[in-house]
Amino acid sequence: MDFTPTEEQEAARELAARVFGDLATHERLRAAGAGTDAELWKALCAAGLPGAVEDTGLLGLVLLLEEQGRVTAQVPFAATCVYGLLAVTRHGTAEQRARLLPGLRDGTTVITGALPAGGVVSTAHEARGRATAPADGGELRQGRAPNPTTPGPPPGPIGEPLLPASGGESLLPVSGGESLPPASGGESLPPVSGGESLPPVSGGEPLPPASGGGRLSGVVDWVPWLRDATHVLVPDADRALWLVRTEDAAAVESVELTAPWSAGRLVLAETPAERLGAAAERPGAPTEARAAAHDDVLAAARIAFAGLQAGVCAGSLARAVAYTSVREQFGRPLATHQAVQLRAADAHMDTEAIRVTAYEAAWRFDEGLDAEAAALTAAWWASEAGKRVVHAGQHLHGGMGADLDHPVHRHFLWGRQLDAYLGCGTELLAELGDLLAKGDPS
């Protein structure tokens, strides 16, 4: 394994560091509140950084996300690169790539993902609805939401309006004889059914059922950066991946998470969707074939967000080192006390563990090797070690760490949110154990 960045990867990382360093300042982040910094997003896209991921691979993306995490920049960079650019490039049809990639490169198209934190949930009480499509349907299942929702009218993708949150307005009906309650208030919807061809997903003629179009119904409690997105990647119970335009969703409701991720609650009710890679996956294809793209995208997402966590932890630790080097107690800097040094050293080792496992997993992914176990390992380190590091960063700031307006508190919030998004450590470890138990013992 060789984690040494190529010239292209190093150049992209240096450019990202300059852009993030210049624009993701504490003052600008405070002014952005819980929303996305549209000016920073435009600057990143103008610099060609999203498009650069096509050439630098997942390892290159991890390097870029480290720079984002260092300053906790509020842009949908990780989501649109993993669930959009990489997913469409690797699994989309030629037509989907030609239609979606130009917008993903210049930032006018933003794709996020409704993949659950721990993969497709199989327990019946977690089922959120049903996905109906020609020749294959199933439940649309999602994992737990770690934070309460706060419904409200969301802003649109990078400043443009989306559908308002449902507040008594009727939602699209669900076929199959069941009723879907509205997202907030109101009466349940009467069941209807229909077999008409689907409206266009992104311009052009309506999609007939044979072209990979379908209709999805269900609720996803929270999706990161949904309020900025033009599309969302949604898995059904068979782990087939579907692209849904957010403007076609029955409702997109604002959700405030621990970190300012511009999240939303997604309500689908007979919502038109297109299969990612539809031409290559005709109705009746084996479940394993439909799940391959899902597992690939899920592994890439775990690796990418682990890289983001490495940056968040590095930024928190750097702030703690700077603070304890100048803050004096008993006549000498805090950094000269052994207890402070040991706490900082443990945080440094945890940060390096997150980084090296993310690098290894990304390298395996780019080389076409089996990266599922490596992705779970990186996600586990990012979840377990990540929260230790951001807690240490806040602790080493003493009373200043309790200041909600202090920059280190933002790292704390991001670290805890990434822990929740990746899935708690015990869940990831159990999944990794099952995977290893099923593998070749040699």
Side-chain angles (χ1 to χ4, degrees), residues 268-290:
L268 304 177
E270 288 293 281
T271 302
E274 64 171 322
R275 179 84 61 80
L276 183 66
E281 296 186 19
R282 295 296 182 188
T287 301
E288 293 79 7
R290 293 197 298 269

Side-chain angles (χ1 to χ4, degrees), residues 3 19 63 65 76 97 105 138 147 169 174 179 200 209 223 235 238 253-254 256 266 270 324 335 353 395 423 433 437:
F3 302 151
V19 175
L63 296 173
L65 291 175
R97 291 195 295 270
R105 294 183 190 117
N147 304 89
E169 299 180 6
V174 180
S179 300
V223 180
D238 292 328
E253 300 175 350
S254 176
E256 296 305 327
L266 179 68
E270 288 293 281
T324 56
H395 185 200

Side-chain angles (χ1 to χ4, degrees), residues 154-173:
I158 314 298
E160 297 181 4
L162 282 175
L163 287 178
S166 176
E169 299 180 6
S170 299
L171 302 181
L172 294 175

Side-chain angles (χ1 to χ4, degrees), residues 55-438:
D55 300 321
T56 61
L58 184 57
L59 181 55
L61 175 60
V62 167
L63 296 173
L64 300 182
L65 291 175
E66 275 194 82
E67 300 304 325
Q68 178 186 359
R70 290 179 197 276
V71 293
T72 61
Q74 293 171 204
V75 287
F77 192 49
T80 198
C81 285
V82 170
Y83 300 124
L85 195 139
L86 287 179
V88 172
T89 298
R90 291 172 64 89
H91 304 292
T93 64
E95 186 278 331
Q96 288 171 334
R97 291 195 295 270
R99 169 162 48 91
L100 295 171
L101 287 179
L104 288 166
R105 294 183 190 117
D106 64 23
T108 56
T109 299
V110 176
I111 299 180
T112 188
L115 274 70
V120 173
V121 179
S122 59
T123 51
H125 71 276
E126 297 261 14
R128 306 300 305 173
R130 196 176 61 255
T132 57
D136 59 8
E139 291 178 335
L140 171 64
R141 309 168 190 267
Q142 292 296 326
R144 56 182 169 74
N147 304 89
T149 59
T150 308
I158 314 298
E160 297 181 4
L162 282 175
L163 287 178
S166 176
E169 299 180 6
S170 299
L171 302 181
L172 294 175
V174 180
S175 63
E178 298 181 2
S179 300
L180 178 72
S184 59
E187 299 179 357
S188 59
L189 301 171
V192 301
S193 61
E196 72 279 3
S197 54
L198 305 178
V201 174
S202 181
E205 296 298 322
L207 293 171
S211 71
R215 290 184 180 273
L216 303 183
S217 295
V219 177
V220 186
D221 289 326
W222 67 279
V223 180
W225 289 286
L226 181 63
R227 282 142 50 193
D228 295 333
T230 57
H231 299 73
V232 58
L233 194 63
V234 181
D236 64 19
D238 292 328
R239 295 187 292 172
L241 294 176
W242 301 82
L243 276 171
V244 177
R245 293 193 308 179
T246 50
E247 65 181 17
D248 293 332
V252 173
E253 300 175 350
S254 176
V255 174
E256 296 305 327
L257 302 178
T258 301
W261 281 8
S262 195
R265 180 174 184 263
L266 179 68
V267 179
L268 304 177
E270 288 293 281
T271 302
E274 64 171 322
R275 179 84 61 80
L276 183 66
E281 296 186 19
R282 295 296 182 188
T287 301
E288 293 79 7
R290 293 197 298 269
H294 169 277
D295 294 346
D296 184 78
V297 172
L298 179 60
R302 283 170 165 161
I303 297 166
F305 282 95
L308 182 62
Q309 181 76 301
V312 170
C313 292
S316 175
L317 184 58
R319 291 187 181 280
V321 169
Y323 177 79
T324 56
S325 297
V326 297
R327 179 74 165 89
E328 292 189 357
Q329 188 179 49
F330 305 115
R332 57 183 178 143
L334 284 172
T336 62
H337 293 274
Q338 187 180 44
V340 173
Q341 293 172 355
L342 291 175
R343 190 77 193 272
D346 287 341
H348 172 73
M349 294 303 296
D350 275 336
T351 302
E352 289 302 301
I354 299 169
R355 177 181 289 116
V356 73
T357 52
Y359 284 6
E360 179 189 0
W363 176 83
R364 294 185 64 87
F365 188 92
D366 288 339
E367 292 295 315
L369 302 174
D370 183 8
E372 187 176 3
L376 282 165
T377 302
W380 181 83
W381 274 103
S383 175
E384 286 291 290
K387 60 188 173 188
R388 287 198 299 265
V389 174
V390 296
H391 275 264
Q394 188 135 339
H395 185 200
L396 290 174
H397 276 76
M400 294 299 295
D403 182 359
L404 301 184
D405 194 46
H406 195 283
V408 77
H409 187 67
R410 189 176 293 109
H411 290 270
F412 175 79
L413 297 179
W414 276 67
R416 292 314 306 257
Q417 185 63 63
L418 282 163
D419 166 41
Y421 185 64
L422 288 167
C424 75
T426 52
E427 293 175 352
L428 292 167
L429 205 58
E431 187 177 347
L432 177 60
D434 290 341
L435 178 66
L436 296 177
K438 295 174 185 176

